[in-house]
Amino acid sequence: MKFHLMSICLLLVAVGMAHAQADKNGQNSSPTEIRKLRIEFLEFRIDVETAKISLLEHSLQQIQTERLTLTDQERNGPQQFSAFEAQFQGQALAPEQQAEFDKIKAQVVAAQAGHLDQERAALQKREDELSAELRIEKQRCDALKTKLGELTVTP
């Protein structure tokens, strides 16, 4: 956002300096020159919006990848615990030890499920925010393209 505002300010300063220079030389900027500058400015803003859209789409793809990773973790979690549990299969545990083991197992499974749920909720929130921002940027870009089309069609 800062880059976008700074670029706009720099372009406006450049236009102002060009007008001031033209006025010093006793010339006024022609409507054609002003129109040309507006077209260049709109093209620049469209390029900036297109870059923002690409970044947002890339971020959304990363979220999809993270979501797949969570699904894999969810699927592999019980298998990993089963491998750990298999180490104790050959050992006879006293009833209180078995109860303690089962209690710890339930706590680990619950903690892992809670962690995965929190991660999934955070990903969903980020995805919703990015999707909303992407819609806004696409609308902005479409509006700029419409303005540019109007300027290039009219003589």
Side-chain angles (χ1 to χ4, degrees), residues 103-133:
K103 179 181 172 184
I104 291 171
K105 178 182 173 181
Q107 289 173 344
V108 168
V109 169
Q112 184 180 19
H115 171 73
L116 292 174
D117 287 343
Q118 288 176 346
E119 287 290 320
R120 193 173 288 108
L123 284 175
Q124 186 62 49
K125 181 181 177 188
R126 275 185 33 219
E127 183 178 30
D128 292 345
E129 290 169 353
L130 290 173
S131 294
E133 192 175 343

Side-chain angles (χ1 to χ4, degrees), residues 46-95:
I46 289 169
D47 289 343
V48 169
E49 291 299 321
T50 302
K52 285 182 189 178
I53 289 168
S54 293
L55 287 173
L56 289 169
E57 288 172 341
H58 179 71
S59 295
L60 285 171
Q61 288 173 351
Q62 286 179 322
I63 288 175
Q64 291 299 324
T65 302
E66 290 176 36
R67 187 173 280 131
L68 290 174
T69 302
L70 281 179
T71 302
D72 288 344
Q73 287 176 356
E74 189 173 42
R75 192 174 322 127
N76 294 333
Q79 292 172 355
Q80 291 172 349
F81 198 81
S82 294
F84 175 72
E85 190 176 20
Q87 294 175 354
F88 294 101
Q89 292 260 335
Q91 299 176 5
L93 297 175

